[in-house]
Amino acid sequence: MSVQRVLVVGLGNMGLSHALAYTRIEGYEIAGLCTRNIDSMELPEALRGAPRFSDFEEALTATKPDVVSINTWSDTHAPYAIRAMEAGAHVFVEKPLADTVEDAQRVVDTAMRTGRKLVIGYILRHHPSWIKFIEIARTLGTPHVFRMNLNQQSSGAAWEAHKRLLQSLSPIVDCGVHYVDVMCQITKAKPVQVHGVGTRLTEDMPAGMYNYGHLHVTFDDGSVGWYEAGWGPMMSETAYFVKDVIGPKGSVSIVMAETVGDIRSDDINAHTKTNQILLHHAALKDDGAFAKADERISTTDEPDHDDLCEREQRYLLRAIQEDLDLTDHMNDAVRSLRIVLAADEAVRTGRVVTL
C-alpha cells in the first residue's frame, strides 16, 4: 500500500496534534510543515526533520503532497482546500469548513468533481463515548429536546487564542458546529428555523463581534434545541458543560463523576471527555413511580484529545485506501454550518431565520 505524503498547514494546537498523529500512523509520512512563524517555532522531536515553509503556495508546489492537512484560521479553509484538491491532493480540514455556506458548498463540489477525499474535523464523530451517546439518544423517541453548551472561562494563553478566533468567528459558530452536528445526527430531521442572541462582554475584539451567544433551532419533526457558548475571563464556570437530550421515553446526559476533580472549562481535554453517560427512563409503574432506575454508563477509559486526532487521521487514510463514499459526511458539514451561520445572522439582525 502506498504511503500518503502529508503537507500540514497551520501548527497551532490542533495542527500540532494532527501533525504528530501522522508520525504515529503507518501509511503516512510528513512531506512538509507550513505556518507563518515556522522559523521561530520549537517543534517536537518527531517533526524536527520535516521540510519547513511559511507560504502555502510555495509549500504545495515544492512538496507535491498526496494529502494536505488544513489547520489554519477559518477564512483560509475554503481557498486552501480547493487549491489542494485542484492540485491533486486529498484534504483534511479543521472545522468549520468555511466562513460561508456558499464557500463550504464550493469545497464539497470541488471534492466531488476531482474525486479527492475530503474529511472535515468533526472530532466527536470519532469519539466512542459520543457515538454511544448518540445511539442511546436515538432510542428515546421523537421529538427530541437538545440542551447543550460549552462555555470557557479563559485567561492567559487560552484567552489570547480565543481573541485570535474572535477576529473572524463567534463562539456559537466555532464551537457550535460540533454540537449542532450531534443534534442533526440524532434527529435526522430537516432544520427549518433558527434564532440566536448574543452580546459583547468586552471591547477586546473587533467591532460587531460578540463573545457570548445562544442559538435556538427547530426541526421539521418537532424537535427543538439550544446551544450556548461564551469565551473570556468573565465567563462563569457554573453549568459550563451541558450535554443533554430528552425524548418521550426518557433522557440521556453526559455528566462528570464526583471523582473527576477540579477541571477547568478551558481545558481542551475536558471538551471531549464524557466520564459518564446518564440514562433516565420515563416509564412509570401503575402506582406512578418510575419503572426502572437510572443507568450510569462509565466512560472513564475513553481516548484523550491526541488519540482522537489520531482516530480522525486513520479515518482519512481508510477513506483513501478503501475509496469510502464521503458524500453524507461532507453534506452534513454544510448542513451544520448553515445552522450556526443562520444563528449568527439572527444575532446580528434580531430576526428569526427560516432555512
Side-chain angles (χ1 to χ4, degrees):
M1 196 71 69
S2 61
V3 172
Q4 300 295 316
R5 299 174 60 257
V6 188
L7 170 62
V8 182
V9 188
L11 292 172
N13 181 67
M14 295 305 297
L16 274 175
S17 291
H18 291 307
L20 289 169
Y22 296 122
T23 68
R24 297 192 297 267
I25 300 172
E26 184 178 355
Y28 285 123
E29 68 177 37
I30 300 291
L33 304 171
C34 179
T35 194
R36 283 177 296 182
N37 60 340
I38 191 75
D39 292 333
S40 61
M41 285 194 71
E42 182 64 31
L43 294 171
E45 185 175 351
L47 300 174
R48 288 175 189 164
R52 303 184 184 194
F53 304 89
S54 58
D55 179 78
F56 172 66
E57 283 292 340
E58 178 188 353
L60 189 64
T61 301
T63 61
K64 296 181 173 57
D66 303 299
V67 174
V68 175
S69 179
I70 300 167
N71 312 279
T72 48
W73 298 119
S74 63
D75 58 353
T76 62
H77 287 184
Y80 283 9
I82 291 171
R83 178 72 181 89
M85 288 185 286
E86 295 282 10
H90 304 289
V91 166
F92 172 85
V93 58
E94 263 301 336
K95 57 78 188 170
L97 179 55
D99 278 354
T100 68
V101 175
E102 292 75 20
D103 281 348
Q105 190 61 57
R106 285 177 54 230
V107 177
V108 171
D109 290 345
T110 302
M112 299 295 287
R113 175 171 52 81
T114 61
R116 299 297 84 189
K117 300 303 179 185
L118 171 68
V119 169
I120 303 99
Y122 282 86
I123 199 167
L124 298 182
R125 285 183 169 234
H126 305 273
H127 194 305
S129 301
W130 278 88
I131 292 169
K132 181 69 172 176
F133 176 75
I134 291 167
E135 287 176 353
I136 294 172
R138 287 172 176 164
T139 70
L140 300 177
T142 56
H144 292 95
V145 174
F146 305 107
R147 306 192 302 167
M148 300 190 182
N149 75 0
L150 180 57
N151 293 311
Q152 298 178 55
Q153 184 186 96
S154 56
S155 60
W159 178 225
E160 292 303 315
H162 281 150
K163 285 191 286 187
R164 288 193 294 272
L165 285 170
L166 286 165
Q167 298 299 308
S168 58
L169 289 175
S170 73
I172 59 171
V173 174
D174 180 73
C175 293
V177 287
H178 278 307
Y179 302 103
V180 167
D181 180 59
V182 169
M183 297 179 193
C184 291
Q185 287 184 71
I186 293 168
T187 180
K188 297 294 187 180
K190 180 183 177 182
V192 292
Q193 215 168 49
V194 183
H195 185 227
V197 294
T199 194
R200 293 164 64 88
L201 293 169
T202 175
E203 293 304 308
D204 206 359
M205 70 184 96
M209 185 54 73
Y210 53 98
N211 66 313
Y212 173 85
H214 203 291
L215 72 81
H216 302 245
V217 57
T218 303
F219 296 86
D220 66 1
D221 68 346
S223 295
V224 296
W226 60 257
Y227 176 74
E228 173 197 51
W231 298 335
M234 73 294 293
M235 291 304 302
S236 168
E237 291 207 319
T238 299
Y240 73 87
F241 185 94
V242 176
K243 305 293 182 291
D244 199 29
V245 180
I246 303 165
K249 298 179 182 178
S251 61
V252 61
S253 313
I254 289 174
V255 296
M256 295 291 183
E258 294 178 0
T259 57
V260 169
D262 185 21
I263 295 178
R264 288 187 50 80
S265 59
D266 63 354
D267 177 357
I268 194 166
N269 277 305
H271 300 171
T272 54
K273 279 189 175 297
T274 62
N275 199 254
Q276 282 191 353
I277 295 175
L278 174 63
L279 173 58
H280 168 69
H281 303 275
L284 302 175
K285 296 188 292 188
D286 290 341
D287 63 1
F290 285 113
K292 192 173 182 180
D294 290 355
E295 299 177 50
R296 288 183 177 268
I297 303 164
S298 175
T299 58
T300 52
D301 60 345
E302 62 190 5
D304 64 17
H305 181 264
D306 285 345
D307 290 334
L308 288 169
C309 288
E310 184 172 324
R311 289 177 185 229
E312 286 187 283
Q313 303 313 327
R314 289 188 182 278
Y315 176 69
L316 172 60
L317 185 61
R318 180 169 162 248
I320 295 168
Q321 293 177 339
E322 300 179 19
D323 192 23
L324 298 183
D325 184 353
L326 299 180
T327 303
D328 288 345
H329 172 84
M330 295 185 292
N331 289 339
D332 285 350
V334 176
R335 179 173 59 165
S336 58
L337 183 64
R338 186 184 303 277
I339 293 171
V340 296
L341 289 179
D344 185 69
E345 178 186 344
V347 171
R348 298 175 188 281
T349 63
R351 296 195 299 267
V352 176
V353 177
T354 299
L355 300 179

